[in-house]
Amino acid sequence: MADLAQAREWLDAAGRVAVLTGAGVSAESGVPTFRGHSGDALWDRYSWEELASPEGFYRDPELVWRWYDWRRGLVAQANPNPAHHALAGYQERRAPSVVIVTQNVDGLHERSGSLDVVRLHGSLWSVRCTRCHREFADERVPLPELPPRCAACQGMLRPGVVWFGEELPEREWIAAQEAAATAQAMLVVGTSAAVYPAAMLVPLAQSNRAKVIEINIEETPLSPRADLHLQGKAGEVLPELLK
Ligand code: OAD
């Protein structure tokens, strides 16, 4: 395929490569995406105002925790797929010049062996105290009580993820911008590129002349501006592209 050959050429010529991933990378692991036409996209079935905003959380913490507990259960049963493995292998072969920046909170990149993943939206597997603000790793599935309580101060815990209206973690956001601004090629995989500020990384890379290669099963708002749109499943295109 001419497009694959072109994409490979840009990747090989790039001293640094940034990879931006979204929920579509985990779709083939059985983890539902938020948007898209799959029929089971989360934001078609649930309200992000109720489940992924600070206002929704403080209105009904138990409801929000039930939803996160369900998602933790789904992800606990899932495994990294060929897309995660292809990226981990590529990163290992080209270390340290490939940086993976993800909007995903499922931890599947890390489980496939990727190192130093820049997690823009936090993790399903961390919890934070709303009283003493300590952050803990918590991998219990299901959680024994909802909402869970802080072991240190008994305050109510919240999921360690970024919700709508919240800022991205500063260190991660700086690392992501640096990766985007210094890359000569960027792979944008399985993201609707609709959520900011993460989606801003793409124009940032382009303004520094990076070639942007999008991999998605469908067109996105980014497609017309990408240098190349490789249509297909991440778990099929990435192993072929990065072998
Ligand atoms: P979305 O659910 O918005 O987009 C997933 C994208 O993956 C869509 O464009 C699909 O077409 C594509 N896709 C689905 N299956 C695929 C496959 N097998 N291979 C390749 N592409 C596939 O997910 P994100 O862009 O990650 O934030 O969403 C960004 C943020 O919005 C999330 O981090 C989450 C959400 O609300 C918060 O909860 C704060």
Side-chain angles (χ1 to χ4, degrees), residues 84 87-89 91 100 108-117:
H84 300 105
L87 285 172
Q91 193 187 30
I100 297 177
L108 291 178
H109 280 303
E110 291 87 342
R111 277 173 54 196
S112 73
S114 280
L115 300 174
D116 301 325
V117 178

Side-chain angles (χ1 to χ4, degrees), residues 210-240:
K211 295 289 188 192
V212 168
I213 303 158
E214 178 182 54
I215 298 168
N216 202 299
I217 51 170
E218 56 190 49
E219 299 256 323
T220 72
L222 166 70
S223 309
R225 287 175 285 122
D227 294 284
L228 212 54
H229 172 81
L230 300 177
Q231 188 140 5
K233 292 184 174 180
E236 292 170 6
V237 177
L238 280 175
E240 184 64 21

Side-chain angles (χ1 to χ4, degrees), residues 22-24 28 34-35 43 103 121 162 164 190-192 195 216 218 234:
E28 289 155 80
F34 297 93
R35 304 173 190 77
W43 296 150
Q103 299 163 85
H121 291 166
V162 176
F164 288 98
T191 173
S192 58
V195 173
N216 202 299
E218 56 190 49

